[in-house]
Amino acid sequence: MQAPIILSTGALLRYAVSRSHRFATRSVTLADLSQQTAGLLAASLRGWELDLGMLRDSEREDWLEFFESAQGAKTAFTFVDPLANLLKWSEEFDNAVWVKSNLTAAADLAAVDPFDLASGRVQRLTVSATPASMYQEIAVTPSGAGSSRKHSIEFTLSLWIKLVASGPTSFDISIGDDASESSLLSVTPTATLTRVSLTYRFAASNDASNVRARLDNFSGTGQVLIFGAQLEAVGTVSGYKKTGARSGVVPNCRFAEDEIEFAATKYDHNDMRVTIREWAG
């Protein structure tokens, strides 16, 4: 199961939304009254409070249907965080999560860091032959599993690129599924590290099981600098969010309560507040 429900606009939420990160610790008091404290989690567990105002009646029913299918807090589902980067290892393109063909990636210690942080964050892609490609696949259904009225999600892909002498002068970035639907943008690296972006909304009938962020159609062999890949479930590019082993596609989430309430404020307008939490294990 996948949440949240897609609204009629293609968005996954309406502001305001609150996010939380929580750890768990346990303290033991010994015989000499000293205390030992241990952490029970290696990484924080995330939570979201969604203020869903001005829902259409159909959108309200989608949320209620999903809540019923989850039986309140009983059933776990995957939450797609609209405020997060949905890609893993957004700077480590040499990681195996990035599937590569005829190219390699490695940290470039000499490249200028775009945020004046530690060196080595910019990576150098080396295209050894064409056609070459690199992509990451995320387990998100574009049409929004769990919703009886499919509207489809809008995604934005962004990253920074820079030209290297004798390297490819152009390549494509694309957003697509694992079957047939995609949108691409041809980009041209320059002498300055520049952010490029592409926004695409899938067809409402698309029930593919995965979404891909992809680089391909390199104009030739050679090298290009790349930094900060980001895929968001929103219709515009936002501030960069670095990721590692975790991303905004969060499995093992549940409703925090066994009860959900809504208020009909006027004709075809509803207010609802939903709390979702990530659980360990």
Side-chain angles (χ1 to χ4, degrees), residues 154-157 175 183 185 197-201 234-237:
E154 191 169 36
F155 293 92
T156 296
L157 172 64
I175 302 169
S183 178
L185 174 71
S197 66
L198 167 67
T199 297
Y200 180 65
R201 182 174 178 178
V234 293
T236 185
V237 65

Side-chain angles (χ1 to χ4, degrees), residues 142-164:
S143 57
S147 171
S148 62
R149 300 166 180 83
K150 297 179 177 180
H151 304 303
S152 77
I153 305 176
E154 191 169 36
F155 293 92
T156 296
L157 172 64
S158 61
L159 67 156
W160 281 262
I161 59 175
K162 183 178 180 180
L163 181 69
V164 175

Side-chain angles (χ1 to χ4, degrees), residues 90-148:
S90 61
E91 297 177 14
E92 286 79 12
F93 302 101
D94 50 344
N95 190 280
V97 73
W98 291 97
V99 180
K100 296 173 281 291
S101 175
N102 289 330
L103 63 79
T104 58
D108 190 303
L109 300 179
V112 176
D113 189 293
F115 301 117
D116 294 324
L117 299 175
S119 64
R121 291 181 64 184
V122 175
Q123 290 215 321
R124 185 178 292 259
L125 297 186
T126 300
V127 179
S128 57
T130 57
S133 65
M134 178 176 74
Y135 70 87
Q136 185 176 148
E137 194 167 79
I138 62 171
V140 173
T141 303
S143 57
S147 171
S148 62

Side-chain angles (χ1 to χ4, degrees), residues 48-240:
W48 302 263
E49 291 189 4
L50 311 180
D51 283 322
L52 299 168
M54 297 186 295
L55 290 179
R56 310 276 315 246
D57 287 351
S58 61
E59 296 169 336
R60 176 202 66 202
E61 290 304 303
D62 287 344
W63 267 104
L64 292 176
E65 178 184 321
F66 186 81
F67 183 78
E68 290 287 339
S69 66
Q71 294 182 275
K74 176 183 176 182
T75 306
F77 52 83
T78 295
F79 184 77
V80 181
D81 187 348
L83 303 180
N85 187 348
L86 305 182
L87 299 173
K88 296 180 178 180
W89 301 109
S90 61
E91 297 177 14
E92 286 79 12
F93 302 101
D94 50 344
N95 190 280
V97 73
W98 291 97
V99 180
K100 296 173 281 291
S101 175
N102 289 330
L103 63 79
T104 58
D108 190 303
L109 300 179
V112 176
D113 189 293
F115 301 117
D116 294 324
L117 299 175
S119 64
R121 291 181 64 184
V122 175
Q123 290 215 321
R124 185 178 292 259
L125 297 186
T126 300
V127 179
S128 57
T130 57
S133 65
M134 178 176 74
Y135 70 87
Q136 185 176 148
E137 194 167 79
I138 62 171
V140 173
T141 303
S143 57
S147 171
S148 62
R149 300 166 180 83
K150 297 179 177 180
H151 304 303
S152 77
I153 305 176
E154 191 169 36
F155 293 92
T156 296
L157 172 64
S158 61
L159 67 156
W160 281 262
I161 59 175
K162 183 178 180 180
L163 181 69
V164 175
S166 302
T169 56
S170 68
F171 59 93
D172 293 343
I173 62 172
S174 65
I175 302 169
D177 58 21
D178 52 1
S180 59
E181 185 181 357
S182 66
S183 178
L184 62 84
L185 174 71
S186 180
V187 296
T188 303
T190 66
T192 302
L193 197 65
T194 303
R195 196 179 196 187
V196 295
S197 66
L198 167 67
T199 297
Y200 180 65
R201 182 174 178 178
F202 281 89
S205 59
N206 192 319
D207 59 358
S209 58
N210 293 290
V211 173
R212 288 181 178 179
R214 184 180 181 93
L215 282 64
D216 61 5
N217 292 330
F218 289 84
S219 61
T221 58
Q223 298 180 330
V224 62
L225 296 181
I226 184 173
F227 171 79
Q230 181 159 288
L231 183 68
E232 308 168 81
V234 293
T236 185
V237 65
S238 73
Y240 171 61

